[in-house]
Amino acid sequence: MSGISIREFRATLKVSRGDMDVSGEEIYSYWNNQSAGRTHFDLEEVLHITRKADGSFYLEIGNLLHHGTLEELEEKLFEWAQDEGWFT
């Protein structure tokens, strides 16, 4: 179990367009997001949620695609990252 809370996780949020500028999507990145905001960064290595141009949010973990509110997806991403040892 990590010592980080969901509140601390959410406090690390950075919003960027990255190279998604053409599609109108935004990347909501968390925790290990030092590279976020650069023109190109490896989304495979950054904990993130995507906001589509229509305002809806999605989260892809492995081969599973999740849709929901930002808060719901933050919780799902936080729990997954915790289980995978991202916070140790």
Side-chain angles (χ1 to χ4, degrees):
M1 184 77 132
S2 76
I4 160 174
S5 68
I6 184 74
R7 185 177 182 180
E8 292 168 315
F9 178 73
R10 285 179 170 139
T12 66
L13 171 64
K14 280 186 185 178
V15 179
S16 60
R17 288 193 169 276
D19 56 358
M20 304 288 205
D21 202 31
V22 175
S23 68
E25 292 184 339
E26 293 179 327
I27 305 300
Y28 286 59
S29 61
Y30 301 84
W31 193 253
N32 63 329
N33 56 4
Q34 296 80 9
S35 65
R38 297 181 186 156
T39 305
H40 299 283
F41 58 95
D42 187 358
L43 289 177
E44 297 291 324
E45 298 299 322
V46 175
L47 297 173
H48 71 282
I49 297 168
T50 305
R51 181 180 179 268
K52 294 182 186 181
D54 68 5
S56 64
F57 291 92
Y58 71 91
L59 167 64
E60 186 173 356
I61 299 176
N63 292 331
L64 299 176
L65 193 58
H66 306 275
H67 296 273
T69 67
L70 179 59
E71 292 78 17
E72 292 167 339
L73 297 178
E74 285 174 331
E75 288 176 16
K76 187 171 289 294
L77 181 59
F78 174 75
E79 290 169 8
W80 176 85
Q82 196 170 38
D83 291 345
E84 292 294 313
W86 282 79
F87 307 132
T88 56

